Amino acid sequence: MKGKRVVVVGGSSGIGSAVLGRLCKEGADIYHFSRAAHLDGAPPGVAHHAFDAAEGPFPSDALPDRLDGLVYCPGSIRLRPFARLRAEDFLEDYRINLLGAVMVIQACLPRMKKNPDGA
């Protein structure tokens, strides 16, 4: 992964944080996007940008011209009885889990296609 340019969305905690750490150890150049205003203790090689997958728009101007990979980790789950869930709860999950991913993929795909290895 040395020198590879990878976008990680949602790497400030959980699985995303573990992926981000692993990519850093392997020498990737990380373009990190999360709701956090900054990334505490970010390792060298991580460029952090604020982005909320439920809100958009994705700040594609923060991306390099070419990308080698994309990791999308934001996600939500409502752990309460189904009868207590509101329509807005489902819409919020839909915005984060699906529409957020679509927005990020649409921004990254043209740059991934510039990768000589193909995307």
Side-chain angles (χ1 to χ4, degrees), residues 75-105:
S76 62
I77 185 169
R78 308 292 173 159
L79 297 175
R80 57 184 125 143
F82 188 80
R84 289 186 21 213
L85 292 169
R86 302 170 295 127
E88 183 57 37
D89 295 329
F90 291 102
L91 290 172
E92 177 76 9
D93 288 351
Y94 182 76
R95 282 191 290 273
I96 294 169
N97 298 336
L98 179 67
L99 296 180
V102 168
M103 184 180 357
V104 172
I105 292 167

Side-chain angles (χ1 to χ4, degrees), residues 13-48:
S13 65
I15 294 170
S17 178
V19 169
L20 188 137
R22 177 71 182 258
L23 289 169
C24 285
K25 284 181 185 174
E26 293 183 13
D29 295 324
I30 309 295
Y31 296 82
H32 178 248
F33 298 84
S34 74
R35 290 184 297 190
H38 66 282
L39 187 61
D40 291 330
V46 176
H48 175 74

